[in-house]
Amino acid sequence: KQEVTQIPAALSVPEGENLVLNCSFTDSAIYNLQWFRQDPGKGLTSLLLIQSSQREQTSGRLNASLDKSSGRSTLYIAASQPGDSATYLCASRMDSSYKLIFGSGTRLLVRP
Amino acid sequence: KAGVTQTPRYLIKTRGQQVTLSCSPISGHRSVSWYQQTPGQGLQFLFEYFSETQRNKGNFPGRFSGRQFSNSRSEMNVSTLELGDSALYLCASSLRTGSGLDSPLHFGNGTRLTVT
């Protein structure tokens, strides 16, 4: 049974800092892994999707990597801004269904 | 392009009642999934519909049901509400391709259900 873990649960950094959020999973037979952000009281916004055959994906200041052999994915945020403050969730997809297994998230606060 | 639309945004119900939540996917998306989010359990998969057929179901009791219409809009129903059903219910849609492997999920803002 797939388990997805995100550490740390919360992170506070000063504006401008580069940071890395971690996501680990127990079953490496994933189809893909997706990163989301969630603002308070809102739904999830898709950030990056990495296919199982890919090593990384980039979008603007965000870069996500995937290492299936070690069961890890990281989300790198460059030059963080207060607007990046949100909860970041990773989710693995194991098969052709859209049953995603979510981590519990990392709550990020970027201080001005 | 309009995003995933969920109605209503907030609901307050009493134990024992039933509730119906609605989801309109992004235009052209034919796959709709439902998730429950609670502080204790996080995000948990409820079910997925594609072409009006349930494709997968999570580990929830039979009180939770859903359906999808020919225009891809979906509804989920919870009968005999319990206090523990209080949660944010999120709907997500996807452009399911032939392989079904490479389409990200796009979420709505959810329906906040409170059961008293």
Side-chain angles (χ1 to χ4, degrees), chain A residues 3-65:
Chain A
E3 292 182 6
V4 179
T5 304
Q6 291 185 250
I7 295 173
L11 184 63
S12 178
V13 300
E15 181 177 4
E17 191 161 298
N18 301 325
L19 58 101
V20 173
L21 306 180
N22 296 298
C23 171
S24 61
F25 46 91
T26 55
D27 188 341
S28 62
I30 62 173
Y31 271 18
N32 61 42
L33 188 136
Q34 197 167 350
W35 282 91
F36 298 89
R37 69 173 278 169
Q38 185 174 31
D39 294 286
K42 296 291 182 66
L44 278 64
T45 300
S46 177
L47 296 174
L48 289 165
L49 171 70
I50 311 177
Q51 304 295 344
S52 61
S53 58
Q54 297 175 322
R55 296 283 293 181
E56 64 180 277
Q57 280 286 334
T58 299
S59 176
R61 296 183 293 107
L62 305 179
N63 176 278
S65 68

Side-chain angles (χ1 to χ4, degrees), chain A residues 31-32 34 36 38 41-46 49 51 89 93 95-104, chain B residues 9 31 33 35 37 43 45 48 56 88 90 94-96 99-109:
Chain A
Y31 271 18
N32 61 42
Q34 197 167 350
F36 298 89
Q38 185 174 31
K42 296 291 182 66
L44 278 64
T45 300
S46 177
L49 171 70
Q51 304 295 344
L89 297 129
R93 186 175 166 197
D95 53 35
S96 62
S97 79
Y98 279 96
K99 179 181 179 180
L100 269 59
I101 310 297
F102 280 87
S104 54
Chain B
R9 285 283 284 129
S31 172
S33 305
Y35 286 80
Q37 186 175 30
L43 275 150
F45 173 80
E48 179 204 355
N56 207 337
L88 181 65
L90 292 163
S94 178
L95 181 63
R96 184 179 266 280
S99 67
L101 302 180
D102 57 353
S103 306
L105 275 180
H106 299 272
F107 282 81
N109 282 328

Side-chain angles (χ1 to χ4, degrees), chain B residues 23-26 28-32 49-52 67-75 91 93:
Chain B
C23 172
S24 293
I26 292 172
H29 286 192
R30 295 170 60 195
S31 172
V32 174
Y49 286 88
F50 178 72
S51 293
E52 302 177 63
R67 60 177 175 169
Q68 186 180 34
F69 303 95
S70 58
N71 61 359
S72 295
R73 191 177 69 85
S74 178
E75 290 181 346
C91 168
S93 74

